[in-house]
């Protein structure tokens, strides 16, 4: 029995001193080695003892073996953990080192603002529709109650030359509003649609004016659509576009294709309505035109007047994008400077 | 337009203080763009809208509007003209040519004294931005600021003959204005003339000859409404925008003009003294009767989305100056005031009822609507998908002007007919683009200055005249520049194009030799192509576009590759959609093979031979390396392929694959190509 105790003591002492995997293997051979292992030898020597003593010491020896095996496993796990730790330390990276550069693509800010707007409106059930960029005089003006309107003037509107035969006169659309009539000619209410695209006006260019710009409009028609509904949808849109806390304000206005007509202001994004140079200290910024569809437009589209009510509103996407991204000059949009495009 | 607070206070009792008034006016009527203190007065700059110019271009109109929205008492100015017993026909007659003036009045005043105006008047002019001239002219201008109607005074003693005519100008007539400018008149200009010729350009500017001077003793006072379109046209041509022409460019209320003549004479007499003839000339066609508008009371609430009682509506209408009679059921017969010619329908009335009631009082409410989808426009959605793919592939989106110059198109050899503007702003933007190439080429040339290898794309429309209508076609174009060798940039663009088409779920894309004879709309630009680095792109059997390196004559310092695809042509093929293919259950075996061929030999021909001789087990052939060099002679190149063998039924044995390779090598050898493993 003493022998067992001595072996246990010595074995555990040496194990304690083992520092790495090769030391541990060495220890394992010294103790458990098939030929020369101390424990092996001790167990082997039991064969020469008398039966009763053998049984007694045998039980103790087995216990010792279990104990030593357990300690061995513990130590092995410990050493493995230590080794991994050391190896991982060698793999240390400089976390402040610049990441590998990926060539990133970019969507134009006007596309991004259009997509965001379309997502908001489609979430409200609006369908996206399209129309031509070069319109007939009828869809761009006449059908919108703009017969004889001064905007048709050669000074304010581009016209195509007369090289296309036929009675139609063509105009690079001055607004996307013509799509209303095109759509209504082919569909009956109820419906709600959103449409956008390039428009042209014969206007001298400066930091806030362009002869080409993008517009987005919405139209919703049913039996009971009201100004109250228009207010709700406009507020919902701007809150989703610019964040909670944005207020809208409707002011009386005049457009040939809506009645009543409104100018819509939103809380100035630059100063949250406190007053700054962007909003000329008023706290409000004029962003779009809106109104209830003029019954004359329904009539031009072939509907029975007063059978339907609807709202429509339209906005310049360039202006919204300028506001959202704080872009100071509208001309930047179509210069396509790579250093501009890569910011979005 | 500028208005004086103190002037408005003459007509409206107990007005709110200026700042409050400005806010109220902005919300209930029209935008007050600015308010500014001037001395003891405050000036309001109000943005007038075209439909209300007729009645709001003067202080009386604005004051009445304040009364309508604020409800406080309104007083019309009281005219007090002194008239003699002599009828006007003793002094003057007038003749109005058809279609020149809707109404024309002339008054005669004698014994006037022309001198500086009183100080109070001068102050009011300063507030409204008008220059005082002399008591007589100032009286007409004061009247204009008051009523919105311009009036004009002539020196009676400088008039020749006894008839004033309003007529179109005659050929080669000229007139010298009060500023001394001589205007060559044209046949659509409307003039006021005496026996000798024009003495004023109607509604725009007076003439030198009958101008009021300090010696004027007898005056003719004109008050009229002229054809707005003619005034607008003439004013623009001669380059005058006057306070008068600005007002006359809109339709002023001819109907109420007669009742203001007395006011005008009263002002003349207050400012410059004198006595008027017994009556005034007043020429106009009979005005149609004011037809009452049928207003369905519930419709007002139904359109506005707020509950307005009949009582509220009646109060508002009364303040607007309408007279109302109850009609059948819940209707009202509403006669608008004579100065509101713009009120014609019940929606016109409801618009005013709504704003005077207060739009901010209408509570926002979500619309309730049946869930019916009109469906999105397919091409719109697909174009946005393509934008997304191009972004994923590392390209930046450009948006160019749809208008280009004729030179832009000529410089890329575009000779086909184009859509031209009749009235371009400049030559630079005069015709619609037939391709996105000119715009993107300019972008990339500038881009290379700032970026090592810029990559841009654009989705947009190109244009041409079709038989009887303009035609638009949606295109995707892509441009890239850089310094890759041996056509590497071409291959990169081709890779982009293939990835793009794969994203669309299509696989039968073909690159064929450009057929110059088949250059059909919307494909173009043959002249700008590198003759040996250009391809016609087809999907299935349909041509969808071109891919080419730009000819060195056109490009920037570095090579440029461009492709342009017809979006509708791609969309048309997408009906064949993606379909699931079983994932292979057995491993593939890959063998590499390199083939030495003449340098003009196409990779496709080699792949064809391998595929045709590879049998069913050959699942894929993939060109992975390409080498041209001295190792195997000047005019040879090496193409290296991965050959992928696979069965869907079992794991392949080495021997089967080796046998197949022998067959493939033999086939390649028959073409005279050397094979190295």
């Amino acid at each position: 029995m003493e022998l067992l105790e001595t072996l246990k003591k010595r074995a555990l002492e040496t194990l304690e001193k083992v520092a790495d995997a090769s030391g541990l293997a060495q220890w394992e051979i010294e103790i458990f080695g098939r030929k020369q292992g101390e424990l092996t030898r001790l167990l082997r020597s039991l064969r020469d003892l008398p039966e009763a003593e053998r049984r007694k010491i045998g039980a103790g020896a087995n216990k010792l073996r279990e104990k030593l095996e357990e300690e061995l496993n513990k130590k092995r796990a410990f050493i493995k953990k230590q080794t991994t730790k050391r190896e991982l330390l060698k793999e240390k990276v400089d976390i402040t080192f610049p990441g590998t550069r990926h060539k990133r693509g970019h969507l134009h800010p006007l596309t991004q603002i259009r997509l965001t707007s379309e997502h908001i409106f489609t979430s409200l059930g609006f369908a996206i529709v399209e129309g031509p960029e070069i319109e007939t005089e009828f869809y761009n003006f006449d059908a919108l109650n703009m017969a004889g309107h001064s905007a048709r003037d050669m000074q304010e509107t581009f016209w195509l030359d007369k090289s296309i035969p036929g009675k139609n006169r063509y105009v690079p659309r001055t607004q996307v509003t013509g799509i209303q009539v095109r759509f209504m000619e082919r569909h009956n209410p109820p419906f709600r649609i959103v449409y956008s695209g390039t428009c042209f006006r014969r206007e001298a260019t400066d930091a806030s004016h362009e002869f080409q710009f993008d517009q987005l409009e919405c139209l919703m028609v049913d039996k009971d659509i009201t100004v109250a509904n228009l207010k709700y949808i406009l507020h919902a849109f701007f809150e989703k576009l610019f964040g909670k806390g944005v207020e809208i304000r409707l002011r009386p206005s005049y457009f040939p294709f809506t009645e009543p007509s409104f100018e819509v202001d939103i809380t100035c994004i630059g100063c949250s309505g406190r007053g700054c140079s962007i909003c000329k200290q008023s706290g409000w910024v004029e962003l779009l035109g809106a109104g209830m569809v003029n019954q004359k437009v329904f009539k031009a589209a072939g509907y029975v007047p007063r059978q339907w009510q609807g709202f429509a509103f339209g906005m310049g996407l360039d202006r919204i994008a300028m506001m959202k991204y704080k872009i100071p000059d509208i001309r930047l949009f179509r210069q396509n400077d790579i250093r501009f495009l890569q910011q979005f | 337009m500028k208005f004086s607070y103190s002037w408005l206070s003459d007509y409206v009792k107990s007005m709110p203080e200026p700042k409050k008034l400005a806010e109220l006016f902005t919300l209930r009527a029209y935008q007050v763009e600015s308010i500014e203190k001037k001395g003891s007065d405050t000036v309001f700059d109000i943005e007038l809208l075209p439909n209300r110019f007729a009645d709001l271009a003067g202080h009386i109109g604005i004051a009445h509007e304040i009364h309508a929205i604020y409800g406080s008492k309104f007083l019309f100015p009281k005219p007090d003209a002194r008239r003699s017993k002599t009828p006007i026909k003793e002094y003057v007659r007038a003749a109005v040519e058809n279609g020149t003036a809707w109404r024309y009045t002339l008054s005669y005043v004698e014994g006037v004294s022309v001198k500086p105006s009183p100080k109070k008047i001068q102050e009011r002019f300063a507030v409204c931005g008008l220059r005082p001239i002399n008591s007589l002219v100032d009286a007409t201008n004061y009247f204009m600021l008051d009523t919105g109607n311009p009036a004009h005074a002539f020196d009676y003693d400088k008039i020749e003959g006894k008839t004033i005519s309003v007529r179109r100008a005659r050929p080669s007539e000229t007139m010298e204005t009060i500023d001394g400018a001589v205007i060559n008149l044209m046949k659509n200009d409307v003039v006021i003339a005496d026996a000798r010729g024009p003495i004023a350009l109607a509604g725009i500017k007076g003439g030198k000859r009958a101008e009021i001077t300090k010696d004027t003793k007898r005056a003719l006072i004109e008050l009229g409404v002229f054809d707005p379109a003619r005034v607008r046209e003439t004013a623009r041509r001669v380059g005058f925008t006057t306070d008068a022409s600005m007002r006359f460019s809109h339709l002023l209320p001819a109907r109420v003009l007669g009742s203001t003549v007395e006011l005008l004479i009263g002002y003349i007499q207050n400012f410059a003294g004198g006595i008027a003839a017994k009556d005034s000339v007043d020429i106009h066609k009979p005005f149609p009767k004011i037809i009452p508008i049928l207003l369905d009371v519930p419709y007002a609430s139904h359109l506005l989305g707020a509950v307005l009682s009949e009582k509220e509506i009646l109060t508002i209408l009364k303040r607007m100056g309408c007279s109302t009679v109850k009609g059948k059921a819940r209707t009202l017969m509403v006669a608008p005031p004579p100065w509101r010619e713009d009120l014609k329908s019940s929606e016109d009335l409801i618009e005013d009822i709504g704003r005077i009631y207060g739009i901010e009082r209408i509570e926002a409410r979500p619309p309730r609507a049946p869930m019916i989808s009109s469906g999105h426009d397919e091409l719109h959605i697909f174009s946005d998908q393509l934008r997304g793919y191009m972004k994923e592939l590392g390209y930046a989106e450009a948006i160019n002007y749809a208008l280009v110059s004729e030179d832009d198109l000529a410089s890329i050899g575009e000779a086909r007919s184009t859509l031209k503007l009749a009235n371009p702003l400049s030559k630079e933007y005069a015709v619609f683009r037939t391709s996105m190439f000119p715009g993107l080429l300019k972008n990339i040339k500038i881009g290379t200055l700032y970026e090592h290898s810029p990559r841009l794309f654009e989705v947009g429309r190109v244009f041409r005249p079709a038989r009887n209508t303009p035609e638009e076609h949606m295109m995707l174009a892509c441009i890239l520049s850089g310094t890759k060798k041996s056509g590497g940039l071409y291959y990169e663009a081709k890779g982009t194009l293939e990835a793009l088409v794969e994203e669309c779920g299509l696989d039968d894309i073909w690159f064929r030799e450009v057929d110059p004879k088949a250059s059909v709309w919307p494909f173009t630009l043959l002249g700008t192509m590198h003759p040996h680095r250009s391809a016609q792109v087809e999907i299935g059997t349909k041509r969808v576009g071109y891919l080419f390196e730009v000819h060195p004559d056109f490009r920037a310092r570095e090579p440029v590759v461009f492709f342009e695809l017809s979006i509708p042509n791609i969309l048309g093929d997408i009906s064949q959609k993606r379909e699931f293919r079983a994932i292979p259950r057995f491993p593939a075996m890959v063998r590499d093979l390199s083939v030495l061929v003449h340098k003009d030999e196409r990779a496709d021909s080699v792949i064809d031979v391998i595929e045709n001789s590879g049998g069913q087990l050959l699942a894929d052939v993939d060109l992975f390396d390409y080498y041209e060099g001295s190792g195997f002679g000047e005019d040879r190149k090496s193409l290296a392929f991965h050959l992928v063998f696979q069965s869907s039924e079992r794991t392949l044995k080495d021997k089967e694959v080796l046998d197949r390779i022998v067959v493939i090598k033999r086939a390649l050898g028959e073409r005279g190509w050397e094979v190295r493993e």
Side-chain angles (χ1 to χ4, degrees), chain B residues 147-168:
Chain B
T147 62
N149 260 91
H152 191 76
F154 300 101
D155 188 329
Y156 178 73
D157 294 305
K158 292 179 192 156
I159 305 277
E160 294 191 13
K162 273 185 114 184
T163 304
I164 295 291
S165 38
V166 185
R167 59 165 171 85
R168 286 179 178 78

Side-chain angles (χ1 to χ4, degrees), chain A residues 106 111 114 118 128 130 133-134 154 157 159 161 202 210 212 224 229 231 259 261 306 309 336, chain B residues 29 302 347-348 351 359 362 365 376-377 380 384 395 397 399 401-402 420 422-423 453 461 472:
Chain A
H106 306 269
T111 298
R114 174 176 59 77
E118 283 175 356
I128 299 170
E130 271 286 354
E133 279 176 30
I134 298 178
M154 294 283 281
T157 297
W159 290 89
D161 69 5
R202 196 173 182 282
E210 258 285 21
Q212 179 177 324
D224 306 310
N229 297 153
K231 281 179 84 171
E259 189 167 45
S261 297
R306 303 225 165 83
Q309 290 181 190
N336 300 314
Chain B
H302 190 226
E347 288 82 11
D348 293 335
E351 176 169 57
I359 304 153
I362 300 174
R365 229 171 255 147
H376 293 324
D377 181 272
H380 180 102
D384 278 342
Y395 289 75
E397 186 186 16
I399 296 181
Y401 296 108
K420 295 182 181 66
N423 56 341
S453 48
R461 301 182 199 193
E472 304 176 10

Side-chain angles (χ1 to χ4, degrees), chain A residues 103-108 110-111 114-115 118 122 125-135 148-150 153-166 170 172-173 183 187 190-193 196 198 200-205 210-212 214 220 222-233 249-254 258-263 265 286 292 295 306 309 311 331 333-339 341-342, chain B residues 25-31 33 47 49-51 232 236 299 301-306 342 344-351 355 359-377 380-381 384 387-388 390-403 418-425 429 432 439 443 446-447 450-451 453-458 460-461 463-470 472 474:
Chain A
K103 183 115 187 165
R104 204 162 64 80
H106 306 269
L107 289 181
H108 195 281
L110 287 174
T111 298
R114 174 176 59 77
L115 289 174
E118 283 175 356
T122 52
F126 285 75
I128 299 170
V129 301
E130 271 286 354
E133 279 176 30
I134 298 178
E135 265 294 7
H149 197 274
S150 65
D153 196 288
M154 294 283 281
Q155 297 299 318
E156 294 174 37
T157 297
F158 288 121
W159 290 89
L160 286 198
D161 69 5
K162 299 272 169 56
S163 55
I164 293 175
Y170 292 96
R173 64 182 172 198
F183 182 85
H187 299 82
F191 59 76
R192 56 204 119 140
I193 52 173
S196 60
T198 308
F200 305 84
R201 279 183 199 168
R202 196 173 182 282
E203 196 161 40
T205 311
E210 258 285 21
F211 66 83
Q212 179 177 324
D214 280 9
M220 178 168 191
D222 202 341
K223 296 267 185 213
D224 306 310
I225 300 298
T226 66
V227 174
N229 297 153
L230 167 66
K231 281 179 84 171
Y232 177 86
I233 295 288
R249 177 174 91 165
L250 270 62
R251 287 184 287 109
S253 189
Y254 171 77
T258 50
E259 189 167 45
S261 297
F262 308 102
E263 214 67 68
D265 298 338
E286 184 180 316
M292 303 304 292
Q295 292 293 333
R306 303 225 165 83
Q309 290 181 190
F311 64 67
R331 290 167 295 195
F333 287 125
R334 289 167 189 81
Q335 279 165 2
N336 300 314
D337 187 319
I338 193 101
R339 296 164 298 173
L341 299 176
Q342 284 173 346
Chain B
F25 207 81
T26 294
L27 284 177
R28 299 287 165 84
Y30 303 102
Q31 194 177 17
E33 290 186 315
E47 186 192 17
L49 298 173
N51 64 331
R232 204 155 52 214
R236 186 175 286 138
Y299 179 42
S301 298
H302 190 226
L303 192 61
L304 296 171
D342 61 304
K344 291 190 190 98
S345 66
S346 56
E347 288 82 11
D348 293 335
L349 291 173
I350 294 168
E351 176 169 57
R355 71 180 171 80
I359 304 153
E360 80 282 1
R361 288 171 66 195
I362 300 174
E363 199 186 322
R365 229 171 255 147
R368 293 171 173 276
M371 259 174 68
I372 297 167
S373 170
S374 307
H376 293 324
D377 181 272
H380 180 102
I381 298 297
D384 278 342
R387 284 185 175 96
M390 289 307 292
K391 177 189 180 253
E392 284 169 24
L393 291 166
Y395 289 75
E397 186 186 16
I399 296 181
N400 278 290
Y401 296 108
L403 291 163
T418 52
L419 290 170
K420 295 182 181 66
L421 291 181
N423 56 341
L425 276 167
Y429 306 106
F432 276 94
N443 300 157
I446 296 167
Y450 305 114
E451 167 88 13
S453 48
R455 272 123 184 76
L456 295 173
F457 79 97
E458 182 170 4
R461 301 182 199 193
F463 306 81
R464 71 155 176 177
R467 257 151 291 155
N468 285 316
T469 164
E472 304 176 10
M474 196 74 163

Side-chain angles (χ1 to χ4, degrees), chain B residues 22 58 91 156 158 168 264 334 393 532 556 570 581 626 635:
Chain B
Y91 304 105
Y156 178 73
K158 292 179 192 156
R168 286 179 178 78
L264 172 58
V334 182
L393 291 166
H532 303 295
I570 305 175
R581 271 189 318 236
Y626 161 89
D635 52 357

